[in-house]
Amino acid sequence: AETSGDGAEANGIYAYEIKISDGTVIAESHSVDGYAFGIYTRYNLLISDSAKVNVADVTSAGESSYGIYVDDGNLVISDSAKVNVAEVISCCSSGIDVGGNLTISSTAEVKVTAVNSTDDSAYGICTYDNLLISDSAKVNVTEVTADSDSKIPSRVSAYGILTSSGNLTISDSAEVTVTEVTGLSASGIGTGWDIEISGGTVTVDVQATAVECPVQGIIPYYDAVISGGAVTVNAIS
């Protein structure tokens, strides 16, 4: 989908609820002045079984861009589903943005690449509530960049994974990789509540690009409980 004009919103796929359980879905979206969404659901989105979802080239020259956006519901990616989100670019960008909970389980694979904000913060994966990554799921977030002439780090921050008001749980043999996250300030994995890692492997690499600006590999608002698995963090300021 491609739209243009003052205030025009572009949606590749739009519905109140979406269920994708087989086949291949390809979406892209461009807006000159409005918001751009690759896939937009008002409520819940389910991607399961052998479904393949590719969202790429979601751009806006005026407002924010979202690869996959769930407004007021939950996103579940399960079974052997494969989700790929790439090249989400605007003043404020988010690869996957969920207003509720996000669950990635079984042997599902999620990859988010090249999320770039030109005047505000950038988010690889962002949820309002909880994020659960379990079983043998694989999540790879890379090349999340916040770049601006602004000198305010809190405004131009890059986040690999963020749960703004919820918990993050990584368990079983899940693999989570967050690399090449750069901004005036940068956070690999952050939460509004707790982080619990009981298994799997977690790799984080982040870098702050401005002098005396914070860089945080794994940062919960409250507690971090690591009781299993392997965790590697590289944070450079």
Side-chain angles (χ1 to χ4, degrees), residues 41 73 77 85 88 102 132 134 152 163 228 235:
T41 62
I77 305 171
V85 177
V88 182
L102 170 57
L132 169 64
S134 65
I152 305 173
T163 66

PDB file of all heavy atoms in Angstrom, residues 41 73 77 85 88 102 132 134 152 163 228 235:
ATOM      1  N   THR A  41      -3.474  -4.184  13.324  1.00  0.00           N
ATOM      2  CA  THR A  41      -4.704  -4.769  13.862  1.00  0.00           C
ATOM      3  C   THR A  41      -5.180  -3.942  15.038  1.00  0.00           C
ATOM      4  O   THR A  41      -4.379  -3.493  15.854  1.00  0.00           O
ATOM      5  CB  THR A  41      -4.504  -6.229  14.339  1.00  0.00           C
ATOM      6  OG1 THR A  41      -3.553  -6.241  15.407  1.00  0.00           O
ATOM      7  CG2 THR A  41      -4.015  -7.104  13.215  1.00  0.00           C
ATOM      8  N   GLY A  73      -4.480  -5.084  21.796  1.00  0.00           N
ATOM      9  CA  GLY A  73      -4.665  -6.520  21.939  1.00  0.00           C
ATOM     10  C   GLY A  73      -3.331  -7.223  22.066  1.00  0.00           C
ATOM     11  O   GLY A  73      -2.304  -6.602  22.362  1.00  0.00           O
ATOM     12  N   ILE A  77       2.939 -15.432  18.311  1.00  0.00           N
ATOM     13  CA  ILE A  77       3.683 -16.036  17.204  1.00  0.00           C
ATOM     14  C   ILE A  77       4.130 -17.405  17.694  1.00  0.00           C
ATOM     15  O   ILE A  77       4.922 -17.490  18.645  1.00  0.00           O
ATOM     16  CB  ILE A  77       4.889 -15.174  16.795  1.00  0.00           C
ATOM     17  CG1 ILE A  77       4.439 -13.746  16.456  1.00  0.00           C
ATOM     18  CG2 ILE A  77       5.627 -15.796  15.615  1.00  0.00           C
ATOM     19  CD1 ILE A  77       5.585 -12.770  16.263  1.00  0.00           C
ATOM     20  N   VAL A  85      10.747  -8.703   9.789  1.00  0.00           N
ATOM     21  CA  VAL A  85      10.429  -7.278   9.642  1.00  0.00           C
ATOM     22  C   VAL A  85      11.723  -6.541   9.352  1.00  0.00           C
ATOM     23  O   VAL A  85      12.700  -6.671  10.099  1.00  0.00           O
ATOM     24  CB  VAL A  85       9.779  -6.716  10.925  1.00  0.00           C
ATOM     25  CG1 VAL A  85       9.515  -5.221  10.772  1.00  0.00           C
ATOM     26  CG2 VAL A  85       8.484  -7.459  11.238  1.00  0.00           C
ATOM     27  N   VAL A  88      12.294  -0.378   8.539  1.00  0.00           N
ATOM     28  CA  VAL A  88      11.229   0.488   9.061  1.00  0.00           C
ATOM     29  C   VAL A  88      11.889   1.819   9.390  1.00  0.00           C
ATOM     30  O   VAL A  88      12.708   1.911  10.303  1.00  0.00           O
ATOM     31  CB  VAL A  88      10.573  -0.130  10.304  1.00  0.00           C
ATOM     32  CG1 VAL A  88       9.443   0.768  10.800  1.00  0.00           C
ATOM     33  CG2 VAL A  88      10.054  -1.532   9.989  1.00  0.00           C
ATOM     34  N   LEU A 102       2.920  -9.943  24.163  1.00  0.00           N
ATOM     35  CA  LEU A 102       3.535 -10.620  23.020  1.00  0.00           C
ATOM     36  C   LEU A 102       4.084 -11.953  23.493  1.00  0.00           C
ATOM     37  O   LEU A 102       4.863 -12.011  24.448  1.00  0.00           O
ATOM     38  CB  LEU A 102       4.659  -9.765  22.426  1.00  0.00           C
ATOM     39  CG  LEU A 102       5.557 -10.433  21.369  1.00  0.00           C
ATOM     40  CD1 LEU A 102       4.753 -10.959  20.202  1.00  0.00           C
ATOM     41  CD2 LEU A 102       6.623  -9.440  20.884  1.00  0.00           C
ATOM     42  N   LEU A 132       6.839 -12.853  26.477  1.00  0.00           N
ATOM     43  CA  LEU A 132       7.286 -14.203  26.824  1.00  0.00           C
ATOM     44  C   LEU A 132       7.932 -14.840  25.609  1.00  0.00           C
ATOM     45  O   LEU A 132       7.316 -14.928  24.544  1.00  0.00           O
ATOM     46  CB  LEU A 132       6.110 -15.064  27.298  1.00  0.00           C
ATOM     47  CG  LEU A 132       6.382 -16.565  27.447  1.00  0.00           C
ATOM     48  CD1 LEU A 132       7.421 -16.816  28.535  1.00  0.00           C
ATOM     49  CD2 LEU A 132       5.084 -17.320  27.743  1.00  0.00           C
ATOM     50  N   SER A 134       9.746 -18.454  24.751  1.00  0.00           N
ATOM     51  CA  SER A 134       9.915 -19.756  25.387  1.00  0.00           C
ATOM     52  C   SER A 134      10.131 -20.868  24.373  1.00  0.00           C
ATOM     53  O   SER A 134      10.149 -20.636  23.156  1.00  0.00           O
ATOM     54  CB  SER A 134       8.687 -20.075  26.249  1.00  0.00           C
ATOM     55  OG  SER A 134       7.537 -20.209  25.436  1.00  0.00           O
ATOM     56  N   ILE A 152      19.308  15.573  23.060  1.00  0.00           N
ATOM     57  CA  ILE A 152      18.622  15.083  24.249  1.00  0.00           C
ATOM     58  C   ILE A 152      18.577  13.555  24.191  1.00  0.00           C
ATOM     59  O   ILE A 152      17.806  12.980  23.426  1.00  0.00           O
ATOM     60  CB  ILE A 152      17.201  15.650  24.334  1.00  0.00           C
ATOM     61  CG1 ILE A 152      17.233  17.184  24.280  1.00  0.00           C
ATOM     62  CG2 ILE A 152      16.513  15.179  25.609  1.00  0.00           C
ATOM     63  CD1 ILE A 152      15.870  17.822  24.198  1.00  0.00           C
ATOM     64  N   THR A 163       9.721  -3.679  27.096  1.00  0.00           N
ATOM     65  CA  THR A 163       8.353  -3.872  27.603  1.00  0.00           C
ATOM     66  C   THR A 163       8.085  -2.680  28.509  1.00  0.00           C
ATOM     67  O   THR A 163       8.565  -2.636  29.629  1.00  0.00           O
ATOM     68  CB  THR A 163       8.209  -5.199  28.371  1.00  0.00           C
ATOM     69  OG1 THR A 163       8.997  -5.163  29.556  1.00  0.00           O
ATOM     70  CG2 THR A 163       8.660  -6.368  27.509  1.00  0.00           C
ATOM     71  N   GLY A 228      19.237 -19.463  35.031  1.00  0.00           N
ATOM     72  CA  GLY A 228      19.693 -20.481  34.093  1.00  0.00           C
ATOM     73  C   GLY A 228      20.030 -19.842  32.765  1.00  0.00           C
ATOM     74  O   GLY A 228      19.885 -18.634  32.577  1.00  0.00           O
ATOM     75  N   ALA A 235      28.372  -3.676  26.148  1.00  0.00           N
ATOM     76  CA  ALA A 235      27.813  -2.321  26.132  1.00  0.00           C
ATOM     77  C   ALA A 235      28.955  -1.308  26.083  1.00  0.00           C
ATOM     78  O   ALA A 235      29.836  -1.309  26.942  1.00  0.00           O
ATOM     79  CB  ALA A 235      26.958  -2.096  27.367  1.00  0.00           C
TER      80      ALA A 235
END
